Amino acid sequence: MSDFLIHVAAVSCLYGILALALNLQMGFSGLVNFGLIALFGCGSYGAAFAHLWGWPPLAGLALGLVLAALLGLFFARLGARMSEDYWGIATLSLAEIMRLVFTNEQALAGGAQGVSGLPVTFSTLAGQGAGLSRLALYAALLVAAFILCQRITRSGFGMALKMMREEPQLARALGYDLGRMRAIVMVISSLMAAVAGFLYAHYLSFVGPEQLMSHETFLIWSMVIIGGIANNWGVVAGAFLMQFALAYVPFVKDWLDLPTDFVAATRLVIVGGGILAFLIWRPKGLFPERIGGSHG
């Protein structure tokens, strides 16, 4: 396998974990979160802080998980005080505030320059061994995240989440504590996003505020919408499909001898156009949710 394919597959696995996290919130629970990238940033900046402060990498993972859990609980707390539409806007605003803080606060984590020099996972291995080992690790974590989401969504708690999504008044009347359910879902998915952020930081060896831009959130949304909302198999397929589509844009540019600007513009068109096209013509995605079926 070439280094390029290993790289794209490895990044696809990390985005697959993010897509599963968003699907658990939005797909199964109806929580329209536009600030998922902030939870990802907790993991990546946890790794950055540990590097700056001379801590071992696993301490950065623990820090990122704690920050993500607290932010997820804060998101859930906000959700108890406003409608879903306003909550979605609030999460987007909080993620943007987080990016602006890290961009302008030089003493905190390098400001706009970010933090570089983080140790790369398995960097001591020779040749393709390092890349294949990272791919195997990320694939194993993606499978673990998938199994976790499947078990949650197929459980009684998962059925309660779907009831909260479809008929929140009925769920409340039947005695379900929607605030507690929302908090549990947010913490679980926040931890998944933080793990992906931590691994991504130690994959690129760099953490910067541009990784927290809102278009990254909408990239993850496109994976969920195109793959299939409330279908765990679908969103993983959507993550791989989108990552491979974006990765091959430069080859198309070279083949057609187009200017460099074509790459960034085309990637935005693929994400935005993909979301619009599927919302209009195939709103349930490539793999629709099977109501009462055997897969979630």
Side-chain angles (χ1 to χ4, degrees), residues 122-258:
F122 299 125
S123 60
T124 56
L125 298 178
Q128 282 193 343
L132 289 172
S133 298
R134 283 191 290 271
L135 175 58
L137 172 64
Y138 301 163
L141 290 173
L142 174 61
V143 170
F146 178 83
I147 293 173
L148 173 65
C149 291
Q150 287 286 83
R151 290 181 67 87
I152 290 174
T153 54
R154 290 180 174 182
S155 67
F157 180 67
M159 295 300 295
L161 290 178
K162 293 179 182 178
M163 184 179 293
M164 179 175 73
R165 179 192 66 185
E166 299 293 337
E167 297 289 347
Q169 298 297 333
L170 175 61
R172 193 174 288 109
L174 291 175
Y176 289 108
D177 186 342
L178 302 194
R180 182 172 177 273
M181 291 166 57
R182 186 184 293 111
I184 292 173
V185 168
M186 287 302 302
V187 168
I188 293 173
S189 55
S190 299
L191 296 179
M192 291 168 59
V195 169
F198 173 81
L199 294 172
Y200 197 65
H202 283 284
Y203 180 70
L204 295 184
S205 183
F206 171 77
V207 176
E210 66 270 20
Q211 295 169 356
L212 306 181
M213 296 184 74
S214 57
H215 64 69
E216 287 294 320
T217 287
F218 290 104
L219 171 59
I220 303 164
W221 269 82
S222 72
M223 295 169 178
V224 174
I225 291 172
I226 292 173
I229 299 172
N231 185 317
N232 290 322
W233 290 101
V235 300
V236 173
F240 276 78
L241 176 64
M242 289 300 292
Q243 279 299 323
F244 273 86
L246 297 177
Y248 277 92
V249 170
F251 294 99
V252 176
K253 187 266 296 180
D254 293 339
W255 183 51
L256 298 175
D257 194 22
L258 295 171

Side-chain angles (χ1 to χ4, degrees), residues 5-295:
L5 289 178
I6 293 172
H7 163 71
V8 178
V11 175
S12 298
C13 289
L14 296 182
Y15 274 88
I17 296 173
L18 288 171
L20 286 170
L22 180 61
N23 195 41
L24 190 60
Q25 294 176 12
M26 187 269 290
F28 291 102
S29 309
L31 304 176
V32 184
N33 181 6
F34 291 122
L36 184 74
I37 201 65
L39 303 169
F40 170 88
C42 289
S44 60
Y45 270 93
F49 290 144
H51 178 67
L52 288 173
W53 299 339
W55 293 0
L58 287 180
L61 175 60
L63 177 61
L65 293 176
V66 170
L67 292 174
L70 292 175
L71 185 59
L73 286 173
F74 182 65
F75 278 179
R77 183 73 174 174
L78 276 179
R81 297 173 179 271
M82 56 184 67
S83 67
E84 291 299 332
D85 294 340
Y86 286 108
W87 184 71
I89 296 172
T91 56
L92 177 62
S93 300
L94 287 171
E96 189 63 11
I97 290 171
M98 180 175 173
R99 184 185 70 80
L100 291 174
V101 168
F102 282 120
T103 300
N104 294 287
E105 184 52 65
Q106 185 72 27
L108 193 59
Q113 301 301 317
V115 179
S116 58
L118 276 70
V120 178
T121 311
F122 299 125
S123 60
T124 56
L125 298 178
Q128 282 193 343
L132 289 172
S133 298
R134 283 191 290 271
L135 175 58
L137 172 64
Y138 301 163
L141 290 173
L142 174 61
V143 170
F146 178 83
I147 293 173
L148 173 65
C149 291
Q150 287 286 83
R151 290 181 67 87
I152 290 174
T153 54
R154 290 180 174 182
S155 67
F157 180 67
M159 295 300 295
L161 290 178
K162 293 179 182 178
M163 184 179 293
M164 179 175 73
R165 179 192 66 185
E166 299 293 337
E167 297 289 347
Q169 298 297 333
L170 175 61
R172 193 174 288 109
L174 291 175
Y176 289 108
D177 186 342
L178 302 194
R180 182 172 177 273
M181 291 166 57
R182 186 184 293 111
I184 292 173
V185 168
M186 287 302 302
V187 168
I188 293 173
S189 55
S190 299
L191 296 179
M192 291 168 59
V195 169
F198 173 81
L199 294 172
Y200 197 65
H202 283 284
Y203 180 70
L204 295 184
S205 183
F206 171 77
V207 176
E210 66 270 20
Q211 295 169 356
L212 306 181
M213 296 184 74
S214 57
H215 64 69
E216 287 294 320
T217 287
F218 290 104
L219 171 59
I220 303 164
W221 269 82
S222 72
M223 295 169 178
V224 174
I225 291 172
I226 292 173
I229 299 172
N231 185 317
N232 290 322
W233 290 101
V235 300
V236 173
F240 276 78
L241 176 64
M242 289 300 292
Q243 279 299 323
F244 273 86
L246 297 177
Y248 277 92
V249 170
F251 294 99
V252 176
K253 187 266 296 180
D254 293 339
W255 183 51
L256 298 175
D257 194 22
L258 295 171
T260 305
D261 295 346
F262 171 83
V263 175
T266 302
R267 284 175 170 165
L268 290 175
V269 168
I270 289 175
V271 174
I275 290 175
L276 284 175
F278 272 80
L279 287 178
I280 294 172
W281 290 297
R282 196 176 173 88
K284 294 183 179 180
L286 295 172
F287 302 94
E289 177 185 15
R290 182 177 295 179
I291 305 299
S294 59
H295 70 272

